[in-house]
Amino acid sequence: MRAYSSFKEIVRLVKKADSIGLVPTMGSLHDGHLSIIEKALTKNEVVIVSIYVNPKQFNDSQDLKKYPRNLNDDLEKLKIFNKIIVYAPNDRDVYDEGEEVKKYNLGEITKIMEGRLRPGHFDGVATVVEKLLSMFNPNDAYFGEKDFQQLLLIKELVRKIKLNVNIIGCETIRESDGLAMSSRNKFLNKSERQSASKIIKLLERAKKLYNTSNLKDLKSAILKQAYSIDNLTLEYFEIIDISKYLKNKKEIRAFIACKIGNTRLIDNIKI
Ligand code: AMP
């Protein structure tokens, strides 16, 4: 499996394809990423997988520095797929010298949760996703529900700048104990990994309580339970009505962000 750093070369290769799927990733691939690629391949003749750790979406330079990068391992994992093309650019292939992120103003969705705690993060995400969509002009682009707020943001981006692409959400793939797969999970030591498996328990408890408790009691029960988990520092826990952000989609979801030791993890479920 080879990786291309020139998007023009890829555009030449996919020119005749009936339909193109795009799966943007930051690499360090796991089964969550692979399941998205599989889904994209069921609908598209060719799927472009981008592997790029986008510096513009990191508001913490230490986090960017230590983000795992394993291109050779990634290419090895992707060997199982036919009909995919890997785009693995360098920073200078994506950004001009000194280029700033665009300021998008994508509304309320960029101001809560991740938007509130990671200033500039979503403008960085939107900047790189707009670039990828414009480079490859895919029919479909695929994003995981694991980063549900990001999925909502991309839908809003595409609506606002009127890009002709379907944004398709993909279910969260989990380890056998329920921990959402994430490239960051490899930073967890044994006891932290044990604690991380309790994140899904918090979300599932919230789901149970949602029908029997008011929101205030629900939140205080979850906060109390979170406090009792070793290594865990809660950053936020929210119950959000998605219909506020996606018209015609009645859905309530519980969202959590926390640090387990030094590793920041997020998760969410439909409740
Ligand atoms: P990342 O490499 O973490 O930026 O993720 C690339 C894409 O994979 C994003 O659309 C993520 O939402 C998605 N993704 C990450 N983890 C998972 C998972 N456990 N299950 C499904 N999709 C995921």
Side-chain angles (χ1 to χ4, degrees), residues 24-26 30 32-33 36 67 143-144 146-147 171-173 181:
T25 82
M26 297 206 297
H30 49 65
H33 297 115
I36 300 183
Y67 196 86
F143 295 87
K146 151 91 169 33
D147 300 282
E171 67 167 321
T172 301
I173 304 300
M181 290 190 182

Side-chain angles (χ1 to χ4, degrees), residues 54-73:
N54 171 33
K56 307 281 190 204
Q57 71 188 66
F58 284 78
N59 54 319
D60 172 348
S61 59
Q62 281 312 309
D63 189 26
L64 170 63
K65 206 166 152 192
K66 71 173 195 206
Y67 196 86
R69 294 163 173 88
N70 305 299
L71 184 59
N72 287 336
D73 289 358

Side-chain angles (χ1 to χ4, degrees), residues 6 43 64 137 159 230-231 243 265:
S6 155
K43 209 179 152 216
L64 170 63
N137 195 17
R159 197 191 63 77
D230 286 343
N231 308 304
S243 63
L265 299 177

